[in-house]
């Protein structure tokens, strides 16, 4: 049997976390009735406190409703945060390090706005090299 650790969630990048959960559920054939329990058991830090508050209002058994609640709580300002990080990125180390950070931040932006143009990202890269 395959052994994969269930993805932990601390409140950062809820889209990535949900995608990883979905893959885990598929690989391990997790029953729909257990999905929210698997997820809840792997909340950490700020996410764990929010989960406790959420569950005081009633346990959510449906994975899609649970995922929507996670997005409502942790995804509100992610687009603005990603854009701010992307726009404030400066070339301070090696070009390779800068490129890696630029790719990381641009993926974060593209997650929320798939229409962001590659041309803008390339221009941003070139402008900050100087």
């Amino acid at each position: 049997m395959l052994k994969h650790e269930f993805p932990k969630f601390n409140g950062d990048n809820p889209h990535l976390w949900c995608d990883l959960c979905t893959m885990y559920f598929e690989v391990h054939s997790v029953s729909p009735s257990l999905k929210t329990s698997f997820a809840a058991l792997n909340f950490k830090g700020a996410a764990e406190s929010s989960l406790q508050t959420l569950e005081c209002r009633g346990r959510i058994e449906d994975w899609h409703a649970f995922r929507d609640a996670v997005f409502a709580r942790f995804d509100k300002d992610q687009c603005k945060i990603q854009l701010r990080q992307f726009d404030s990125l400066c070339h301070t180390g090696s070009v390779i390090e800068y490129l890696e950070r630029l790719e990381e931040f641009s993926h974060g932006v593209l997650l929320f706005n798939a229409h962001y143009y590659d041309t803008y990202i390339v221009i941003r890269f070139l402008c900050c090299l100087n």
Side-chain angles (χ1 to χ4, degrees), residues 85-127:
Q85 287 177 325
F86 182 75
D87 287 339
S88 67
L89 182 61
C90 294
H91 173 220
T92 56
S94 74
V95 173
I96 297 296
E97 291 170 337
Y98 171 63
L99 180 59
E100 288 172 353
R101 289 179 43 226
L102 181 81
E103 285 178 344
E104 176 187 340
F105 293 149
S106 65
H107 288 301
V109 169
L110 291 170
L111 180 66
F112 296 98
N113 185 349
H115 301 290
Y116 237 80
Y117 296 103
D118 289 338
T119 305
Y120 175 73
I121 294 168
V122 170
I123 290 169
R124 180 86 174 112
F125 172 76
L126 294 174
C127 287

Side-chain angles (χ1 to χ4, degrees), residues 53-106:
T53 302
L54 180 65
E55 290 205 339
C56 283
R57 297 182 182 129
R59 180 164 291 206
I60 300 173
E61 302 285 334
D62 177 71
W63 169 247
H64 296 290
F66 186 85
R67 186 191 63 201
D68 291 347
V70 167
F71 287 159
R73 168 60 181 91
F74 294 101
D75 198 39
K76 287 188 272 188
D77 297 322
Q78 286 297 311
C79 185
K80 290 178 192 173
I81 291 167
Q82 296 295 331
L83 279 170
R84 210 173 296 125
Q85 287 177 325
F86 182 75
D87 287 339
S88 67
L89 182 61
C90 294
H91 173 220
T92 56
S94 74
V95 173
I96 297 296
E97 291 170 337
Y98 171 63
L99 180 59
E100 288 172 353
R101 289 179 43 226
L102 181 81
E103 285 178 344
E104 176 187 340
F105 293 149
S106 65

Side-chain angles (χ1 to χ4, degrees), residues 2 8 10 14 19 21 27 32 43 47 53 72 79 81 102 107 109 129:
L2 295 173
K8 306 288 185 228
N10 64 3
D19 289 346
C21 289
V27 168
F43 273 40
T53 302
C79 185
I81 291 167
L102 181 81
H107 288 301
V109 169
L129 280 177

